[in-house]
Amino acid sequence: MQNFEYASPSTLQEAFALLASSWGETDILAGGTDQISLMKDYLHTPKRVVNIKSIKELGGVHHTPQGLRIGATATFDELASNQAVHAEYASLLSAVNGVASPQIRNMGTAGGDLCQRPRCWFFRRGFGLLAMQDGKSLVPNGDNRYHAIFGGGPAYFVSASSLGPPLIALGAKVKLASASGSRVVAVDKFFVAPQNESSREVALLPNEILTEITVPSARGIKNATYEVRHKDALDWPLVTASVALQMSGQAVSHARVVLGHVAPTPWVATQAEQALNGKALSDEVIEQAAEAAVSDAKPLSGNDYKVKLARVAVKRALLEASGRA
């Protein structure tokens, strides 16, 4: 690990003053479950590391009639034990419980989950976000069994965020703050598919801190997350599906269907949503929506199995949301 300057501010204003205007100069440390690995592997070599865990206003999980406020440094364990999450946000709770390691649940943070770097083994071995060598991507003809089936490049990694898909399905937003002010970004706009090596996979600027996540009230909204994994022990899912359904009587008035681990960003399955809107959740409609969710999939040479898994995940999530799982 390269030597670095360490700072632990107690206020946001102190933290802002320590940030740089370009990537690579300063890194934020929260839970550290990804950051430390990046530094040990020399993928990140910051001159300064700013620990934000001592900034009190960045913590906590708070529920109001309007919804949920999740501080950036709130841990997975805090989310898993929050009564409001249990009562209203089944899709979020399932995603949190999918992180099986007690160590990660106690250290990993909500903000860190959204901001973590790709787990693509080409990226982790130093080939960059687009895994380029001699002007060509290594992924299409390489070991791509865990890579994207949506998006079509030039980025083929998959978003590693556990919370991203359910947060998008639930209409969540993030607050990004800097010394010059703050801005609010919908979570579905926060994730970005990079087009070149100088880009990042999230819409966060190097002088900004993600301070909080706000989730609208989910009262009356049927929501669920279903994950397909190799094993129950600590591992990233192969595919996930998160759904949120507003109902009008027996019919779906507004559907959100978001897939995880299938594209560089959490993937909004628009065609599946269209297949659900205005219809009752019959077995036939659920099958149609699951099929529509993967209609535009473009698997690579080694990951066509993900198409079937994504179809199954959507079906299972819809069945769970409808109370028939």
Side-chain angles (χ1 to χ4, degrees):
M1 186 183 291
Q2 180 173 292
N3 291 340
F4 58 90
E5 176 187 321
Y6 175 81
S8 184
S10 58
T11 69
L12 270 174
Q13 292 304 316
E14 289 176 359
F16 294 149
L18 294 164
L19 301 182
S21 59
S22 58
W23 292 114
E25 296 291 314
T26 305
D27 276 0
I28 297 292
L29 178 69
T33 56
D34 187 29
Q35 178 63 32
I36 300 302
S37 295
L38 291 166
M39 293 171 64
K40 289 173 72 172
D41 291 337
Y42 290 89
L43 292 169
H44 279 208
T45 54
K47 296 178 181 178
R48 176 185 295 149
V49 172
V50 179
N51 177 14
I52 61 172
K53 290 283 278 190
S54 298
I55 303 176
K56 291 183 179 180
E57 64 190 279
L58 298 183
V61 180
H62 305 286
H63 183 251
T64 70
Q66 288 71 46
L68 199 65
R69 185 266 182 192
I70 305 169
T73 60
T75 65
F76 271 58
D77 191 59
E78 288 178 80
L79 285 168
S81 60
N82 185 273
Q83 292 303 309
V85 174
H86 280 261
E88 286 186 37
Y89 303 94
S91 58
L92 192 58
L93 181 63
S94 292
V96 169
N97 287 336
V99 179
S101 163
Q103 293 93 336
I104 299 296
R105 286 160 63 95
N106 278 281
M107 292 297 295
T109 63
D113 175 82
L114 298 185
C115 296
Q116 66 181 299
R117 305 306 309 275
R119 298 288 166 175
C120 164
W121 41 41
F122 294 103
F123 171 72
R124 295 280 165 164
R125 292 174 184 174
F127 289 101
L129 275 179
L130 305 186
M132 302 293 287
Q133 189 176 58
D134 301 326
K136 295 182 180 180
S137 174
L138 296 168
V139 179
N141 296 314
D143 189 348
N144 51 42
R145 70 190 107 150
Y146 301 132
H147 286 75
I149 59 173
F150 293 100
Y156 294 99
F157 65 83
V158 298
S159 172
S161 174
S162 296
L163 303 183
L167 288 174
I168 291 173
L170 292 165
K173 298 178 180 180
V174 292
K175 185 176 180 180
L176 311 177
S178 68
S180 58
S182 63
R183 58 193 178 109
V184 176
V185 178
V187 176
D188 63 344
K189 303 298 183 185
F190 178 72
F191 293 97
V192 179
Q195 299 299 306
N196 55 64
E197 288 291 353
S198 62
S199 302
R200 282 285 177 121
E201 62 279 5
V202 293
L204 184 72
L205 300 178
N207 66 339
E208 289 182 320
I209 296 174
L210 191 160
T211 59
E212 66 181 33
I213 305 160
T214 54
V215 193
S217 171
R219 287 190 301 274
I221 296 177
K222 298 178 181 292
N223 61 97
T225 291
Y226 189 86
E227 301 184 343
V228 182
R229 295 173 174 270
H230 266 312
K231 55 188 178 182
D232 289 335
L234 177 63
D235 198 5
W236 279 267
L238 298 171
V239 170
T240 71
S242 294
V243 302
L245 310 172
Q246 295 181 27
M247 306 298 293
S248 178
Q250 296 299 310
V252 177
S253 60
H254 181 71
R256 292 288 276 169
V257 180
V258 187
L259 300 174
H261 300 268
V262 295
T265 67
W267 189 260
V268 178
T270 305
Q271 290 180 315
E273 296 173 351
Q274 293 171 349
L276 292 165
N277 287 334
K279 299 175 184 177
L281 286 173
S282 66
D283 290 345
E284 181 181 3
V285 167
I286 287 175
E287 289 283 0
Q288 291 171 352
E291 191 64 42
V294 297
S295 59
D296 289 337
K298 297 178 180 178
L300 301 170
S301 59
N303 67 359
D304 57 339
Y305 72 95
K306 277 196 169 191
V307 178
K308 181 177 182 179
L309 294 187
R311 186 187 304 117
V312 170
V314 171
K315 178 181 177 180
R316 296 289 186 179
L318 288 169
L319 287 170
E320 187 171 324
S322 66
R324 308 204 319 266

